[in-house]
């Protein structure tokens, strides 16, 4: 139930002003907080009201280059730091984030809109990347072997890539940061981080923590800006950076790949998704509905892993739709800071308009609305949890990311038919399958064209698992044992000799 909690004159929780006043608002360059060279700032808005929360420095290209130069200057010190030192920094940051989880969650809800419980979940998830990669810092391996002919030796070492550029989106403002910063520090790389302009505060608070745990000046730098392209492009093309790790839309990712080609930067691309969620007749329907709620409604549907197309086999389609609509209609929409709210606002007006357009398009093509379906015309960017059935595969939402709380259901007959539908997309991030048939589970897992598959589970994200997509959903993996590899170069040393013992003795 939605209850009233003590609020200030803007309807924010009493602690909000305190938390906002404590967050740094400058650029963090070479170990110091500073304003943009131009003195410009921009407003961070509360998506529940559209009101300004606080303003932060608005970097220009020269600020970006200063930050990158600081990362380049700190390169050797960071590369020479011991694995144990990197472990200690990351574990200290993990402890600090965990201790401050409540205030960090409130800050995240204020700027991004997700309900407090979800923000709390993201802070925990974000902290776990720091802990996971603390461990990875101690496990950077090499190799030593004889060549097949026995006449030489191979020494294989892994070294930090060098200065990195890390660009993150607004939907998981802290976890998408630690998933990059954790392995960068563990590998001994320096970085310049650029958070999304809608949600810079969670990153600024995190960077303050990284500063406090004693990382060398210049090892982690942050620029906030409303001129993402103008600030990042000169850095990418400069030759000072050696890697770009990007999480965001496929459209921007493709543009950045072109820019990275000039200096042949290493790239990691975590891009958009269009996840199919498939329910077969033999699935445990309670589990499947729970899974669909998780896969669809985590982050109000604003997740790259969100179930974007829900395919239900004919025998259970009606029952599944009824149960899902009942669960969706029972969710409470409102400001994420308010107790009892389970669905916060979308990030901005453009997001709200896009969801409305996609629903209108699906309805024009014959979809039926079981619940929701109309944006709230009042204050803030709210959209009600919506279930549509009989969604045509020709609908725009079958091809584009919805990024909102809309569950589009389409029924299917056979396994072959649903496999063709599921793979009929340029994306390939994640797929979900619900069935109790082991043979079918494995056939589907093998044939679905995605980097990840949720088998009878609606959430695949886990710091210890390799997260990433294929096709136009990306390049590389984050998390797991592979996440650190993205920040390491392999160097092979061919060692001449030693010659066989008999020859060596003959020398004497
Ligand atoms: P976006 O528009 O691509 O922005 C992502 C980041 O790139 C932001 O920091 C943005 O800065 C920056 N950016 C935009 N244009 C740029 C340019 N020309 N040069 C350099 N940087 C630029 O994506 P979004 O709307 O924030 O995030 C949603 C998208 O991210 C969805 O497609 C979602 O699927 C994807 N995503 C993928 C994953 C994954 O792991 N695969 C995870 C989360 C989200 P500004 O904020 O200033 O525009």
């Amino acid at each position: 139930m939605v209850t009233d909690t003590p609020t200030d004159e803007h309807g924010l929780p009493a602690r909000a002003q305190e938390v906002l006043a404590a967050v740094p608002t400058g650029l963090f360059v070479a170990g110091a907080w500073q304003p943009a060279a131009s003195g410009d700032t921009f407003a961070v808005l509360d998506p529940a009201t559209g009101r300004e929360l606080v303003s932060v420095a608005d970097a220009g290209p020269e600020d970006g280059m200063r930050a990158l130069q600081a990362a380049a200057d700190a390169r050797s010190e960071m590369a020479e730091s011991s694995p144990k030192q990197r472990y200690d920094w990351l574990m200290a940051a993990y402890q600090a984030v965990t201790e401050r989880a409540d205030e960090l969650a409130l800050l995240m809800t204020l700027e991004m809109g997700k309900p407090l419980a979800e923000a709390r979940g993201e802070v925990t998830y974000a902290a776990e990347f720091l802990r996971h990669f603390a461990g990875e810092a101690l496990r950077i391996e090499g190799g030593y072997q004889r060549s097949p002919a026995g006449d030489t030796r191979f020494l294989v070492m892994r070294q930090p890539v060098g200065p990195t550029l890390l660009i993150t989106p607004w939907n998981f403002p802290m976890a998408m940061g630690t998933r990059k910063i954790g392995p960068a520090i563990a590998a001994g790389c320096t970085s310049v981080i650029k958070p999304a302009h809608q949600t810079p505060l969670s990153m600024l608070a995190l960077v303050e923590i990284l500063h406090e745990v004693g990382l060398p000046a210049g090892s982690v730098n942050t620029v906030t800006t409303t001129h993402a392209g103008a600030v990042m492009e000169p850095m990418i093309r400069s030759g000072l950076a050696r890697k770009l790790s990007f999480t965001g839309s496929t459209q921007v990712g493709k543009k950045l790949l072109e820019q990275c080609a000039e200096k042949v930067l290493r790239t990691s691309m975590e891009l958009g998704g269009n996840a199919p969620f498939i329910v077969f007749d033999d699935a445990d329907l309670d589990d499947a509905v729970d899974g669909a709620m998780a896969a669809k409604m985590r982050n109000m549907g604003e997740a790259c892993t969100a179930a974007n197309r829900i395919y239900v086999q004919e025998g259970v389609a009606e029952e599944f739709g009824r149960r899902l609509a009942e669960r969706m209609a029972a969710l409470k929409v409102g400001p994420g800071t308010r107790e009892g709210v389970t669905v916060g606002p979308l990030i901005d007006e453009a997001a709200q308009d896009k969801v409305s357009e996609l629903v209108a398009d699906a309805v024009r093509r014959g979809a039926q609305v079981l619940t929701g379906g109309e944006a709230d015309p009042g204050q803030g960017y709210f959209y009600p949890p919506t279930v549509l059935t009989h969604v045509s595969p020709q609908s725009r939402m079958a091809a584009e990311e919805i990024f909102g709380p809309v569950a589009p259901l389409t029924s299917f007959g056979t396994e072959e038919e649903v496999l063709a539908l599921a793979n009929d997309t340029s994306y390939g991030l994640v797929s979900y399958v619900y069935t109790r048939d082991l043979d079918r589970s494995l056939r589907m897992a093998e044939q679905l064209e995605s980097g990840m598959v949720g088998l009878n589970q609606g959430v695949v994200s886990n710091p210890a698992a390799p997260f990433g997509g294929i096709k136009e959903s990306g390049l590389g993996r984050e998390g797991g044992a592979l996440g650190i590899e993205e920040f390491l170069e392999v160097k092979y040393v061919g060692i001449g000799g030693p010659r066989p013992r008999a020859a060596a003795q003959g020398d004497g």
Side-chain angles (χ1 to χ4, degrees), residues 167-171 176 179 194-198 225 228-229 232 246-249 252 255-256 270-273 304 401 403 429 467:
I167 303 179
T168 56
W170 50 263
N171 60 344
M176 297 303 93
R179 203 162 77 171
K194 196 213 81 63
H197 73 277
Q198 295 99 327
T225 182
M232 295 311 298
F246 172 76
T247 299
S249 61
V252 172
K255 207 190 297 184
L256 296 178
E270 296 288 347
L271 309 178
C304 53
E401 286 187 289
F403 247 58
L429 189 61
F467 188 104

Side-chain angles (χ1 to χ4, degrees), residues 405-421:
V406 178
L409 272 49
T410 304
S411 63
F412 70 90
T414 65
E415 190 178 313
E416 292 67 34
E417 182 190 346
V418 78
L419 193 60
L421 280 170

Side-chain angles (χ1 to χ4, degrees), residues 165 167 194 223 227-237 259:
L165 303 173
I167 303 179
K194 196 213 81 63
V223 290
H227 319 286
V231 171
M232 295 311 298
E233 187 167 354
M235 296 161 81
I236 293 169
R237 294 190 188 276
Q259 295 174 13

Side-chain angles (χ1 to χ4, degrees), residues 304-477:
C304 53
T305 51
N308 209 58
R309 299 168 290 152
I310 303 181
Y311 298 118
V312 192
Q313 205 162 14
E314 280 154 3
V316 292
E318 204 178 321
E319 177 64 7
F320 180 87
R322 191 187 61 71
R323 289 201 212 176
L324 187 67
E326 211 171 84
R327 291 276 296 275
M328 292 281 272
L331 297 173
K332 299 280 182 256
V333 181
T337 50
R338 201 175 294 170
E339 218 174 290
V341 162
T342 46
V343 184
L346 297 179
I347 189 68
D348 54 25
E349 196 173 353
Q352 190 190 38
D353 288 348
K354 180 173 180 200
V355 174
S356 297
E357 277 169 30
L358 291 180
V359 170
D361 169 78
V363 169
R364 259 197 310 277
R365 295 173 198 265
Q368 291 166 22
V369 180
L370 289 191
T371 186
E374 291 274 347
D376 184 336
Q379 194 192 39
Y381 312 117
F382 295 95
Y383 198 92
T386 296
V387 177
L388 306 175
T389 60
H390 300 91
V391 175
S392 160
Q394 273 69 51
S395 305
R396 274 181 59 196
M397 64 171 64
E400 296 176 34
E401 286 187 289
I402 303 170
F403 247 58
V406 178
L409 272 49
T410 304
S411 63
F412 70 90
T414 65
E415 190 178 313
E416 292 67 34
E417 182 190 346
V418 78
L419 193 60
L421 280 170
N423 286 340
D424 185 18
T425 170
S426 57
Y427 292 102
L429 189 61
V430 58
S431 312
Y432 304 92
V433 181
Y434 275 76
T435 175
R436 282 184 279 204
D437 179 330
L438 180 61
D439 286 351
R440 174 190 276 155
S441 301
L442 295 177
R443 273 197 306 274
M444 292 297 288
E446 285 173 5
Q447 293 178 82
L448 282 164
E449 294 171 358
S450 56
M452 301 176 286
V453 177
L455 205 49
N456 297 320
Q457 67 175 37
V459 176
V460 292
S461 307
N462 189 309
F467 188 104
I470 61 171
K471 294 161 81 174
E472 293 182 28
S473 286
L475 296 169
R477 294 293 178 268

